[in-house]
């Protein structure tokens, strides 16, 4: 019985040693993972869900969604440039996994995004 316990303990120690051996670069990008966007509600005209990146106000996100809906009327999935919240936003369809979504990016700061999805 003691022999079995020693064998299990040795196996666990070996597994722990192997996991500690992983190169530092394997964990380097974990801190840089993008933050999850916040749900802001739905666009009244299309019913699409509106999401804003952290730091972006839901008020602005809903304004961008409304402006895109007006600009893209009759042009399904068409890219558009809209003005909302005092800023110019470039909107276009992106391929999600599996469904496409609409992404609007602030023309002055590409880290500011608004997403519309079904």
């Amino acid at each position: 019985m003691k022999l079995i316990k020693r064998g299990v303990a040795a196996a666990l120690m070996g597994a722990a040693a192997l996991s500690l051996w992983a190169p530092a670069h394997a964990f380097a990008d974990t801190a840089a993972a993008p933050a999850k966007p916040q749900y802001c509600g739905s666009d009244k005209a299309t019913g699409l869900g509106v999401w804003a990146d952290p730091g972006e106000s839901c008020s602005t996100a809903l304004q961008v969604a409304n402006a895109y809906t007006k600009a893209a009327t009759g042009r399904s999935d068409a890219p558009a440039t809209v003005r909302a919240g005092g800023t110019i936003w470039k909107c276009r369809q992106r391929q999600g996994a599996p469904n496409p979504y609409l992404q609007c990016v602030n023309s002055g700061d590409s880290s500011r995004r608004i997403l519309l999805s079904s």
Side-chain angles (χ1 to χ4, degrees):
M1 186 69 154
K2 285 186 178 184
L3 188 57
I4 293 173
K5 287 183 181 178
R6 285 185 186 165
V8 170
L12 291 173
M13 293 294 283
L18 286 174
S19 67
L20 292 175
W21 177 79
H25 72 273
F27 300 104
D29 291 335
T30 56
K36 293 183 179 181
Q38 63 179 332
Y39 179 70
C40 296
S42 60
D43 178 52
K44 292 178 182 176
T46 63
L48 293 174
V50 180
W51 303 79
D53 275 348
E56 196 62 59
S57 75
C58 279
S59 173
T60 299
L62 292 168
Q63 289 175 26
V64 170
N66 184 39
Y68 174 78
T69 300
K70 289 178 182 174
T73 300
R75 302 177 316 151
S76 178
D77 305 330
T81 301
V82 300
R83 181 182 270 300
T87 306
I88 296 174
W89 298 81
K90 295 184 184 236
C91 304
R92 68 182 181 116
Q93 187 175 23
R94 306 285 304 228
Q95 183 57 49
N99 297 326
Y101 64 95
L102 184 74
Q103 175 179 281
C104 297
V105 178
N106 183 310
S107 63
D109 180 359
S110 63
S111 69
R112 295 174 61 195
R113 298 178 313 144
I114 306 298
L115 308 173
L116 284 79
S117 66
S118 57

